[in-house]
Each structure stands twice: as C-alpha cells, then as structure tokens.
Amino acid sequence: GSCQGNSVHRKIYIPLNHTAPCVRLLNATHQIGCQSSLSGDTGVIHVVEQEQDLEWALSKGPHPPYMVLLDGNLFSRDVLMQLKGSSRISGLAVAAASPAPSQGFSPGLKCPNDGFGVYSDTYGPQFAHCNGSQWNPGGSGVSYEDFPFPIFLLQDANETQLIKECYQAHNVPGPGGSAPQFPLCAMQLQSHMHAAASTVTCMRRSSLQSAFSINPEIVCDPLLDFNVWSSLQPINASGRLQPEQRVVLAATRVDSHSFFWNVAPGAEAAVGSFVALLAAAQALHGAPGAQSLPRNVLFVFFQGESFDYIGSSRLVFDMEQEKFPLRLENIGAFLELGQVSLMNNSELWMHTDPVSRQNKSVDEQVEWLLSALRNSSSSSGVSVQEPDVSQPLPPSSFQRFLRSRSIPGVVLSDHRAGFRNRYFQSIYDTAENIGLRYPEGLSPEEQLEHVTDTAKSLARVGTLVARALFSLAGGQNGTESIRADEKTVARLLFGFLLNSNNSWFQSLIKPDQKGILGEQRDPRPFPQHYVAVSSPTNTTQLLQAVLGNLTGISANLSREQCQNPGKTPGTMPELYEYWWVQGPLDGNSSSRVPGCVRSGVRLSPALSPAFELRRWDSREFSTWTESRWKDIRARIFLVASRELELLTLALGVLVLLLSLLGTFLINSKASLLFGIPAPPGSSGY
C-alpha cells in the first residue's frame, strides 16, 4: 500500500524564502543596522499603504506588538523614526516599490565617507565635512541608524501578495475601527546579530576567543575583498618600478551598498563607471603602438570604497610599505571615473583639487591633464567642462592618494555639484535608473547582443578615456582610431546589471567558477556589488575574468601547461597570469571549446590597514566590520487570542495533573485491579 505524511510544522508556518535582511555593521565608534531578539521577533501583521495607516499600529490597534508590512514608497526616514520610537512595533517588512519612488530614495549620507577623504582641519578646512558641497542632497542617512527590531526586504511579489491576503482574511479592522476577531495573521522575523557596540569591542572579543578557545566563536568580520588591477605594458608583480618611471593611473570603484544586506545593484554608483573603464582598457590595448608608449598605464578597480575607501586606502598603504610594484612617486597622473551614466547632453565634468593646485608645479600638470581630456573629447561624442576652480573634489578614491602625496589628478563625473543619482546607495539604483531598456519580445541572448542607447553613451565615455590615456602616456598621433566597442559595453551592462548567467560570461570563466554566475531560477541572477566579508566576491571574480579576456591574448598551451605556467619555458609567470577558460559553445552542441588566456590582470588585498595594524579604533583608516549571525528567517502563521492560549495551557496542565494522579492511583492498586499474585514466601526443604 501507499503511505503519505505531512509535517505539522508545515501546516502551521508558511516560510518566506525570498527576503533580504538589514544586518548590523560596526565601525570604531558605532553600530548601525538592525537585529531581532535571540529567537526572533513576532507581531500581528498590519499593512501600511498610506501614511495614515500607521496610526493603527502606533496607537489604536488593540493587539500589539505589530509587524508592519510597509509599502516601498513610504520607506523614508520620517516613517522609520516614528516606528523606531514606538514600543508597539516588533519589526518591519518592506515591499519594494515598482516603479522606483519618483521623488528619489537614498539611505546613504549627504556627505559620503565623511572624515576619510583628503579634506580635514589641516588640509582644505574650508571644504571639510562637505562644507558648501552637499554631494548627496537626497541622502536620508537611515542606513547609518541603529534599529532595535528586524527589518526585511520582500523580494518576491507573490510572497508580498500572500501576506496581504492573510492580512485581508484575518487582520482588517471591523466597522468603525473595531478590533478584528481571532485568529490573527502574524509574522516572525529572525536576524539576531552576535556583535554589539563597536568594531573595537567585537574584534577584541573575537581575538580573545581565538587566543584561548579551541573552537572560537567569532562575532564579527572585517569588510574585505580584492582590488583588480592590470597594466597596458606588463609589470613584474614581484618587482619594483624604478623611481624615475612614471605611470598614468586610471581608476574607478566596483562596489555599492544599500539598506539591505547583499542587495547592491549600484548601476549608476559603480557599474556604469567600471564598464566604461573596461571598455577603455580594451580600446587602449588594441591601439597601434600602445605597447611602445613612453609611459605605462595602470588600470585599478577598487573594492570597498563605499565604506570609507577600503580598497584605495589599502593600495596607498601597500605602496608606502613597498608591498606593491609601484610607489606613490611612480604615479605621474591620476584619472578617475566617478558616476558617469546619467550625463546631461553628453557632458562630463572634470573635478580637480583646488588645494594641491595652489602649488604651481602641480597646477601645470593638472592643466596638462585637462588639456588631454579636452583634446580627446572633440571627436569622441562627449564634451567636458570644468566646474568652478574653487570647488573641492567629490567623494573619490583619488582623495586617499592626495592624503599621502600631491598627485595631479582629475575625477570625471556626470554631475557638476550634487549627484544626479537620486537613488545613490539604494535598492533602486538599477538598470532602469540609468535608462537601460530593451525592445519587447527579445530573448535573453538577444538582449545580451542588443546595443542600447545607454551602451552607446558609455562607449563614448570609454572612447574619451582611452584616447586621453593614450595621450597622457606619450602617444602623439592616431588617437582617432581608438574607439570603445559598443557591443562589448552592451554585453557588460547586461551581464553586470541584468543576468550574469549568460553565454558570454559563461565562456570567460574557469570551469570551476560556474557558481559565481548564479542560477537562472534565482530572482536576482545578476551579481550584487556589496564588498562582503568573504572574498573574492562574485563581482571581483567576474571582473577579473572579463578584464583578462578584453586585454589578454589567447595562449597556445595545453590545460596542464596553462594551469602550471611556471613549468613551461617562455611563459614568464612573473609578468602574466594564465587562465584556462570554458570557452564558447561548439556550434549547436552543448560542448565547449576551452582555451588558455594570458593577461596581466592581478588581484591585490582590499582589507583596511586598520586590521593589518590591529588599530581597531583608527580614525585614519576604515574600521567597518559585519556582525555574524546564526539564522536569517521569515515566516507567517495564525495566532490565537491570549485568552485561548492561556485556556489551552491551563487545560494542558490540568490533563497532566490528572494523568499523574491517575497513574499514582492505578499503580498503588495494581494487584487488586489486575489480579497480580502475591510474591511467594520462602521455600522449605
């Protein structure tokens, strides 16, 4: 016969599987983020779709505490502060707004990375703390608040609808605002964080555990990853450049951030910029005479810049400690791409540092940089403008280099003053934010190859940068032939913003890296650009593979030779990295044509020097850590009234007592009730 079973647990609870929590982060002085109690926080669900709906949960509702399901358009600082100040709220579930809020939404600070850039009381004090230059005017700062209850993002519209249906069936107030009848629909959110207080406290606890315990319980981890770097002409990774050698450094950031853990699309904040720089690197490597230019070009993609410049501060530290092939004095010019995807009339702004330009020598070199950009813009399709010379630099990696040495540099961005990005460091900084749209009816593979207007715009930025770098590196003629490939930009945007599990990315990675592409059934198949605590992240690995493919060459080596280049004569592993990649599909079959790629792409640590030096209270370097947790969980279920729960408990206790009494009486009268014979007496012989 057949046998079937069903878990009682599954009959009671409905799990919510597509959520993202707000987690706890810590720095030298504060803790930010959210957490639940040890076993999770539970409350009766109340749906808030208009601001007046809050009144029921905050004051009128007779069944506190409440778990609020908040419409994404109401997710603002004012609402969150109201909820934070009430003891009647046990948690918050946020349904992402679609489309994004028209008024914009940025949970970041108005002055990003304040205190860790170049401007301070001793260097440009008139510009310190974004004085006179509010770079992120829409920033509410809620990402940097500490909330005593859990806050989850609902990423699946079907789960959001399920919660609303449960609310409609059980929790809607009756006529005249009367209390709904039991049972009520409730939600439990569990996201208990192990770390507390500050990085100093949690790192000290972890350090003590590691020193005295066989199985240490680590409570927090530093935010870390790797910077990705490559050069136009090969550099010996274990050697050092001569002091007289000059290099042009082209840089951008890779990471982004949002209120919710590992939901950081960063389309305008990061992706558009590093896609443009990738395209520029490809164009420059393919330029005639690029390998014989008088000056080398170094491409650097920084990780962790959203958290007080982790990647750039570590690279500067390594240069000063001679743990990197370059020293700071080798940098002859610095060109950084800031946010560039939201250009107005194809116009970019060239930001420079007014303090260092007070030095005549530095000012002349900066003018040389600006002139190279102006000359390169004439036929690239992008115009460049310079803001007021007294305006400071926007938040940028370049500021960390200026803290150590006066280097001539320019930061290119699409904004003259405040960011044009109204969704900076938010879940809404997506492909839609930078206008990435496709004609209806295209398959994913057709979208991969389709060149959008956004791709064309960023390709023009890549062309401008490649031509300027060619000129800065000493190139004289032939810049007109340098042009970024629009098709490559289109593929990069699709892969890093919409779906990383595409045929092109699949062909670029190693056979053992399939997991970094995500799964097709994943509701978020594109990589999230959060720096995280485990490295290298998916974004870093993909970026390394893509940069190696765009700037490297195919090497005629077997798989064994490619994976062990040191054993093969003439491979020069000190100059090049070798990757055995999956390669493209072989015609219409499912098999691939693998091959070996040789490139100069390498990784360098993006861990703050504060953790290398064990200076967890540092005000000079980033000290951000992420708390550990045991379980992240969300579920809904029905709850009975308190009276019914107490009655059930009382009946259970009564049944227990009656059972104990009955067992005692039966046991004492067992011989009478069951006719058990008396034990025999002693036998005589």
Side-chain angles (χ1 to χ4, degrees):
S2 63
C3 181
Q4 295 181 347
N6 199 351
S7 168
V8 174
H9 184 276
R10 292 180 182 177
K11 287 180 174 291
I12 297 174
Y13 300 104
I14 299 176
L16 305 174
N17 297 318
H18 300 111
T19 61
C22 160
V23 302
R24 174 168 289 170
L25 300 174
L26 310 99
N27 65 9
T29 55
H30 292 80
Q31 66 179 28
I32 63 171
C34 323
Q35 81 152 351
S36 72
S37 59
L38 185 60
S39 58
D41 291 330
T42 302
V44 174
I45 295 172
H46 183 65
V47 175
V48 175
E49 295 179 329
Q50 301 177 25
E51 198 157 349
Q52 53 264 38
D53 295 337
L54 284 170
E55 189 177 3
W56 180 267
L58 293 174
S59 59
K60 288 185 176 180
H63 304 124
Y66 284 96
M67 191 69 67
V68 173
L69 173 58
L70 187 69
D71 184 271
N73 289 295
L74 297 176
F75 190 62
S76 65
R77 183 179 183 86
D78 289 343
V79 171
L80 284 174
M81 291 301 105
Q82 287 186 63
L83 298 177
K84 181 180 178 180
S86 174
S87 60
R88 293 169 54 89
I89 304 300
S90 60
L92 180 63
V94 181
S98 182
S102 57
Q103 71 275 17
F105 173 72
S106 173
L109 299 170
K110 294 183 184 295
C111 185
N113 292 351
D114 185 22
F116 290 87
V118 67
Y119 302 114
S120 64
D121 294 338
T122 57
Y123 187 99
Q126 67 273 30
F127 305 128
H129 311 298
C130 296
N131 186 26
S133 300
Q134 202 173 81
W135 295 108
N136 185 29
S140 63
V142 292
S143 283
Y144 295 85
E145 293 286 342
D146 184 38
F147 293 94
F149 50 74
I151 302 179
F152 278 52
L153 174 68
L154 302 175
Q155 297 176 291
D156 189 336
N158 292 327
E159 290 186 346
T160 302
Q161 185 59 34
L162 180 67
I163 298 171
K164 290 183 177 180
E165 289 174 359
C166 187
Y167 168 80
Q168 292 289 340
H170 299 279
N171 294 12
V172 175
S178 60
Q181 299 298 311
F182 285 97
L184 299 176
C185 191
M187 180 186 297
Q188 183 185 50
L189 301 178
Q190 184 174 357
S191 60
H192 180 69
M193 300 288 123
H194 293 175
S198 68
T199 289
V200 177
T201 302
C202 79
M203 289 299 293
R204 185 177 66 246
R205 290 174 179 171
S206 297
S207 181
L208 289 172
Q209 285 272 349
S210 300
F212 297 107
S213 175
I214 298 176
N215 298 308
E217 183 178 341
I218 308 300
V219 296
C220 68
D221 300 283
L223 296 182
L224 61 93
D225 198 13
F226 288 94
N227 299 321
V228 181
W229 66 275
S230 177
S231 56
L232 181 61
Q233 300 159 11
I235 292 178
N236 188 337
S238 59
R240 299 288 181 270
L241 292 189
Q242 295 301 314
E244 66 274 7
Q245 289 181 272
R246 292 293 177 267
V247 171
V248 180
L249 197 154
T252 191
R253 68 171 57 189
V254 176
D255 68 301
S256 185
H257 177 42
S258 81
F259 187 86
F260 299 100
W261 181 75
N262 205 28
V263 183
E268 159 75 342
V271 177
S273 309
F274 73 68
V275 163
L277 191 57
L278 285 169
Q282 181 192 33
L284 189 58
H285 272 77
Q291 294 301 316
S292 58
L293 290 171
R295 286 180 288 275
N296 204 349
V297 178
L298 188 74
F299 297 94
V300 185
F301 298 82
F302 290 117
Q303 268 283 14
E305 296 301 273
S306 300
F307 293 94
D308 300 337
Y309 306 117
I310 294 174
S312 55
S313 63
R314 177 55 185 266
L315 187 64
V316 171
F317 178 80
D318 285 347
M319 287 181 174
E320 292 175 334
Q321 300 297 315
E322 297 191 359
K323 297 179 180 179
F324 192 77
L326 275 70
R327 301 178 182 87
L328 288 171
E329 54 263 31
N330 293 124
I331 302 175
F334 196 110
L335 178 60
E336 179 174 352
L337 281 184
Q339 301 180 66
V340 296
S341 303
L342 295 176
M343 291 186 292
N344 184 25
N345 297 323
S346 296
E347 188 175 67
L348 288 178
W349 294 89
M350 303 181 293
H351 301 271
T352 59
D353 173 40
V355 179
S356 61
R357 290 186 68 178
Q358 293 174 7
N359 180 294
K360 184 178 180 181
S361 174
V362 173
D363 186 57
E364 289 174 352
Q365 295 177 73
V366 171
E367 284 295 341
W368 166 65
L369 246 170
L370 297 173
S371 176
L373 285 165
R374 292 191 192 98
N375 295 336
S376 301
S377 72
S378 57
S379 58
S380 66
V382 178
S383 63
V384 291
Q385 304 290 335
E386 190 178 0
D388 187 2
V389 71
S390 63
Q391 181 174 298
L393 285 168
S396 53
S397 306
F398 180 44
Q399 292 200 31
R400 290 300 303 193
F401 286 79
L402 284 175
R403 283 175 70 123
S404 298
R405 186 180 178 87
S406 291
I407 298 172
V410 173
V411 177
L412 282 176
S413 76
D414 55 23
H415 55 88
R416 179 176 184 173
F419 297 160
R420 292 176 58 82
N421 184 8
R422 295 178 298 124
Y423 305 107
F424 181 69
Q425 291 186 349
S426 88
I427 60 175
Y428 303 113
D429 190 8
T430 59
E432 290 76 14
N433 184 35
I434 61 172
L436 189 64
R437 297 179 180 86
Y438 297 89
E440 292 184 7
L442 294 185
S443 67
E445 286 302 308
E446 289 172 334
Q447 290 180 337
L448 174 67
E449 302 295 334
H450 181 75
V451 179
T452 61
D453 291 339
T454 303
K456 294 177 182 178
S457 174
L458 288 174
R460 290 193 289 269
V461 175
T463 298
L464 165 69
V465 172
R467 292 178 179 179
L469 292 174
F470 185 84
S471 175
L472 293 170
Q476 300 297 326
N477 300 308
T479 58
E480 293 77 12
S481 64
I482 302 175
R483 187 168 296 277
D485 182 37
E486 294 179 348
K487 181 78 74 174
T488 298
V489 174
R491 288 175 166 183
L492 290 169
L493 288 173
F494 181 83
F496 282 110
L497 286 176
L498 295 176
N499 189 351
S500 59
N501 200 353
N502 59 72
S503 60
W504 188 50
F505 276 13
Q506 289 166 7
S507 70
L508 305 182
I509 62 172
K510 299 177 182 178
D512 60 353
Q513 288 184 308
K514 295 178 183 178
I516 69 175
L517 298 179
E519 299 181 10
Q520 293 288 5
R521 63 176 180 270
D522 191 332
R524 294 181 294 117
F526 52 89
Q528 298 295 330
H529 310 297
Y530 172 62
V531 61
V533 296
S534 58
S535 60
T537 60
N538 293 354
T539 299
T540 298
Q541 295 182 69
L542 282 174
L543 187 61
Q544 184 184 15
V546 169
L547 183 59
N549 177 269
L550 296 180
T551 60
I553 62 171
S554 178
N556 188 20
L557 298 174
S558 67
R559 180 169 186 168
E560 291 72 20
Q561 291 173 324
C562 189
Q563 293 176 338
N564 298 283
K567 299 179 180 180
T568 306
T571 54
M572 296 180 289
E574 69 279 1
L575 297 181
Y576 300 104
E577 289 280 323
Y578 291 83
W579 278 46
W580 184 259
V581 299
Q582 292 191 132
L585 291 172
D586 186 7
N588 294 323
S589 69
S590 58
S591 61
R592 295 185 174 274
V593 184
C596 186
V597 174
R598 187 192 80 177
S599 76
V601 179
R602 299 182 185 273
L603 302 178
S604 68
L607 170 66
S608 172
F611 299 100
E612 289 284 305
L613 303 170
R614 296 178 67 87
R615 287 166 44 190
W616 303 322
D617 60 349
S618 173
R619 298 296 194 275
E620 180 182 359
F621 300 114
S622 171
T623 55
W624 285 106
T625 54
E626 179 184 278
S627 174
R628 287 195 180 186
W629 58 82
K630 184 178 181 180
D631 194 18
I632 298 291
R633 184 173 61 188
R635 58 188 183 181
I636 62 173
F637 51 93
L638 295 180
V639 292
S641 67
R642 180 56 57 89
E643 292 77 10
L644 181 58
E645 289 177 340
L646 292 174
L647 177 61
T648 304
L649 176 63
L651 289 175
V653 172
L654 179 61
V655 170
L656 174 63
L657 295 175
L658 290 175
S659 300
L660 292 174
L661 178 62
T663 302
F664 172 76
L665 294 174
I666 291 172
N667 185 62
S668 63
K669 303 293 183 181
S671 59
L672 181 63
L673 292 173
F674 302 110
I676 300 175
S682 58
S683 301
Y685 295 94

